[in-house]
Amino acid sequence: QGEIKYVANGTMPAASSANVGSNLLLNQSGQYVFQSFVDGKPVGRSAKLDVSFHKGAGKKITLSTEPAPQYRGSGNGSVLNGVIGSNQRYNDAEWLGFAGKDVVAVIDLGKPTALKQVKLRFFNNPGQWVYAPKQVQVSWGKQEGSFGKVLSSKVEVGKDNIVTSNLNLKNAKARYLKLEFSNYGEIPAGAPGAGSRAWLFVDEIVVE
């Protein structure tokens, strides 16, 4: 009889690892790896799931513009569900894709919350017209629609598909976070899609 085993530390499960069972509850952050076993031997490919239990996970999010129908993940909450998207592709259930538009996201944490930083992930693949934003901005407040200090950061792009940007909130206390992602804009001459506006893909917004 087959069983599915798992670990939460990113290594490969063994026959002696914990059994998934019928009511698995993930209650800690980590890189979960799942593997099927038959008669104590691994069968088929393993599956990985990066989970982050952060202060924004499961909270309400409002977007200024809806993602493209073909790149809407599992809904707008995909970027606040605690699950990190793929590093290799942007069309899984965790990424949201926006065609040529800036994006403003407002997160309601439910109550005033002590905040240290916001960690952002974007996809960057110019060959497929996908560019990380040029700039990100965050502001916060205790009342809906009222945001105080604004922090901006230029997004640094390297050679990897994944581009990250961390915004230090310096122990602020707020209920609402407003994040603004500036679309790259027009794709430059000589690049695939030159003259068109770039795609913007956003992954998990990690609030700590």
Side-chain angles (χ1 to χ4, degrees):
Q1 182 178 358
E3 295 179 309
I4 300 177
K5 304 287 187 174
Y6 76 98
V7 295
N9 59 6
T11 62
M12 288 301 297
S16 58
S17 297
N19 199 343
V20 168
S22 59
N23 294 302
L24 175 62
L25 177 63
L26 305 183
N27 57 13
Q28 63 177 349
S29 299
Q31 185 180 65
Y32 288 79
V33 184
F34 302 85
Q35 177 66 55
S36 296
F37 284 82
V38 175
D39 296 329
K41 297 181 180 180
V43 177
R45 298 176 62 182
S46 61
K48 294 183 179 180
L49 187 68
D50 287 318
V51 177
S52 174
F53 284 94
H54 56 88
K55 294 178 180 179
K59 299 300 190 294
K60 179 181 177 182
I61 184 169
T62 303
L63 300 177
S64 61
T65 183
E66 290 297 308
Q70 68 271 42
Y71 297 120
R72 59 183 306 162
S74 53
N76 293 353
S78 298
V79 293
L80 277 182
N81 64 0
V83 180
I84 308 299
S86 169
N87 288 346
Q88 287 75 44
R89 56 193 180 92
Y90 51 78
N91 60 349
D92 67 9
E94 306 307 326
W95 288 91
L96 298 183
F98 304 86
K101 298 178 180 179
D102 297 336
V103 178
V104 178
V106 175
I107 300 170
D108 181 358
L109 299 172
K111 62 181 179 180
T113 303
L115 303 170
K116 292 183 178 180
Q117 66 176 341
V118 176
K119 299 165 69 175
L120 305 169
R121 278 169 52 96
F122 306 101
F123 212 89
N124 192 71
N125 189 333
Q128 296 182 325
W129 304 22
V130 177
Y131 287 75
K134 286 187 173 181
Q135 177 177 287
V136 294
Q137 184 171 289
V138 62
S139 52
W140 56 89
K142 294 182 179 180
Q143 296 183 339
E144 186 173 8
S146 177
F147 300 96
K149 186 175 180 180
V150 176
L151 290 177
S152 299
S153 177
K154 182 180 178 181
V155 178
E156 300 294 335
V157 177
K159 296 181 179 180
D160 296 332
N161 286 336
I162 302 300
V163 175
T164 60
S165 181
N166 296 348
L167 297 165
N168 187 349
L169 303 185
K170 301 178 180 179
N171 297 313
K173 191 169 186 179
R175 172 175 173 174
Y176 296 93
L177 282 173
K178 181 180 181 181
L179 294 149
E180 301 177 61
F181 310 136
S182 299
N183 184 278
Y184 180 87
E186 186 175 302
I187 297 174
S196 299
R197 285 185 65 83
W199 280 87
L200 167 63
F201 278 83
V202 182
D203 189 21
E204 188 75 7
I205 299 171
V206 176
V207 182
E208 299 179 336

